[in-house]
Amino acid sequence: MTPSRSPASNRISWPVEFYHLDATLDSGQVFRWQPSGNGWTGIVGRRWLQLRVEVNTLHAETVEPVADWNWLRNFLQLDVELMTVLNTFPTEAPMQAAIDACHGLRLLRQDPWECLASFILSSTKQIVQIRQIITLLCERCGEPVFTPPGFPAAYAFPTPDRLAQLSEADLRACKMGFRAPYLLQAARAVAEGRINLAQLRGLSVDDARIELLRLAGVGRKIADCVLLFAYGFPEAFPVDVWIMKGLKQLYFPNRRVKPRKLQEFAQTHFGPHSGYAQQYLFHYLRNHWKPS
DNA sequence: TACCAGGAGAGCG
DNA sequence: CGCTCTCATGGT
């Protein structure tokens, strides 16, 4: 275990292997990170920070000193041995191509509420637009956080309690359209304790999914995104339009495959870390593949 | 201009 | 069930 407790400092460095920060922060699992110099800036919880990787070292810098960095190690999932995960993937051509296209891509471990809210806002939106909506939402409704001199103002992701007090019109002003009532209902469900996001950690993936599916505006795809990106269920396999088209063409050319069958195939074919494989496939399809 | 976006839900037959 | 339509908004 790398020492995470040390004299409080606003900087820390960790040794890393195969950590492709660019691919990771720009792969559609998080929406608030921005390129900055040779690294990235973003918010985790209530803290602004800057990240960069040089060779086999990951550097992090916050505004205020930090005594315990475990929150960041957890967000970055530094204890995951990537090669062990990749070695469980099937050794067929498309999967290997996906690995080669973005070797070092990682799954992060996000805050459940931020992840849930973000993906409620993601439906039928391009990633650039999802970023826009979330940026607006945070600027208007989130608590300001400290940033270093010379950097623009930044905001924490708004809490369920804060959003629960707003009106649908307030949210529509953030350009989220028909997703506004969904986000508002989800915020109120969490704020009023009708769903307990922390409690989902102790459930099986199937039971946790059932809980998430109770929320309006949350279907199988969005639920699986939250199960994978926030709770770390390794078998959660979100099937979006890219994955749908890609799997059909790569694995079932010239055949009719029902969505149910495709989900079943994905879960078995890609092994125990099918969710990780999904992220590699998604990144590969989105950046190196044209649907036909 | 037309089309589509890391979907979901309601209304059909 | 399984299909189609709608929802709001902006990028390409």
Side-chain angles (χ1 to χ4, degrees):
Chain A
M1 187 67 142
T2 307
S4 296
R5 292 178 185 280
S6 50
S9 164
N10 71 324
R11 298 168 182 245
I12 194 164
S13 299
W14 289 297
V16 290
E17 272 190 318
F18 314 123
Y19 209 112
H20 194 333
L21 201 55
D22 296 342
T24 299
L25 295 175
D26 190 30
S27 62
Q29 52 178 321
V30 286
F31 303 100
R32 305 189 63 202
W33 288 83
Q34 303 182 26
S36 164
N38 55 353
W40 295 79
T41 62
I43 311 283
V44 175
R46 296 183 196 287
R47 290 185 215 271
W48 178 98
L49 71 150
Q50 188 162 39
L51 299 175
R52 70 193 156 85
V53 169
E54 348 182 286
V55 196
N56 284 331
T57 306
L58 188 152
H59 303 277
E61 181 174 345
T62 58
V63 180
E64 299 182 304
V66 174
D68 184 344
W69 290 88
N70 278 322
W71 55 277
L72 184 54
R73 291 189 60 84
N74 182 56
F75 175 74
L76 295 169
Q77 290 288 286
L78 292 185
D79 292 329
V80 169
E81 286 187 35
L82 185 63
M83 291 312 294
T84 305
V85 174
L86 299 189
N87 284 336
T88 66
F89 293 176
T91 59
E92 26 83 339
M95 188 70 248
Q96 293 303 313
I99 294 175
D100 292 341
C102 47
H103 199 278
L105 173 63
R106 303 287 188 132
L107 284 182
L108 299 165
R109 184 66 58 85
Q110 301 178 43
D111 169 71
W113 167 246
E114 177 168 348
C115 187
L116 171 62
S118 296
F119 279 94
I120 285 175
L121 297 176
S122 76
S123 85
T124 335
K125 277 292 179 192
Q126 302 182 130
I127 290 177
V128 280
Q129 294 178 288
I130 301 169
R131 288 201 193 99
Q132 273 184 345
I133 294 170
I134 293 176
T135 297
L136 250 181
L137 177 68
C138 293
E139 284 176 358
R140 287 169 166 257
C141 309
E143 291 292 322
V145 300
F146 292 117
T147 55
F151 285 90
Y155 303 85
F157 196 90
T159 63
D161 294 304
R162 169 65 178 139
L163 293 186
Q165 297 167 354
L166 301 179
S167 68
E168 186 180 316
D170 294 329
L171 294 180
R172 282 183 183 265
C174 300
K175 309 298 181 186
M176 62 184 71
F178 62 84
R179 304 158 196 82
Y182 294 151
L183 179 61
L184 188 56
Q185 289 176 57
R188 290 180 175 164
V190 173
E192 294 164 13
R194 284 181 279 114
I195 183 168
N196 185 336
L197 294 182
Q199 196 176 31
L200 299 192
R201 291 190 192 287
L203 303 182
S204 68
V205 63
D206 290 329
D207 287 343
R209 185 183 295 110
I210 288 172
E211 286 299 299
L212 290 171
L213 290 176
R214 290 168 43 211
L215 298 167
V218 178
R220 175 69 190 247
K221 189 269 171 181
I222 290 176
D224 279 352
C225 283
V226 178
L227 293 171
L228 183 63
F229 300 143
Y231 293 100
F233 287 105
E235 67 272 56
F237 193 102
V239 177
D240 73 327
V241 290
W242 283 97
I243 291 290
M244 179 78 77
K245 290 178 188 171
L247 290 186
K248 278 183 180 175
Q249 185 177 320
L250 295 172
Y251 297 95
F252 302 92
N254 307 320
R255 278 195 272 169
R256 265 194 300 279
V257 192
K258 296 176 181 179
R260 179 73 189 83
K261 188 71 184 172
L262 207 60
Q263 183 90 50
E264 205 176 292
F265 163 78
Q267 227 98 47
T268 56
H269 177 73
F270 295 105
H273 293 92
S274 59
Y276 232 106
Q278 188 273 359
Q279 194 63 11
Y280 271 80
L281 288 167
F282 177 76
H283 193 278
Y284 169 65
L285 294 169
R286 192 164 72 94
N287 294 303
H288 307 275
W289 182 81
K290 299 290 172 210
S292 60

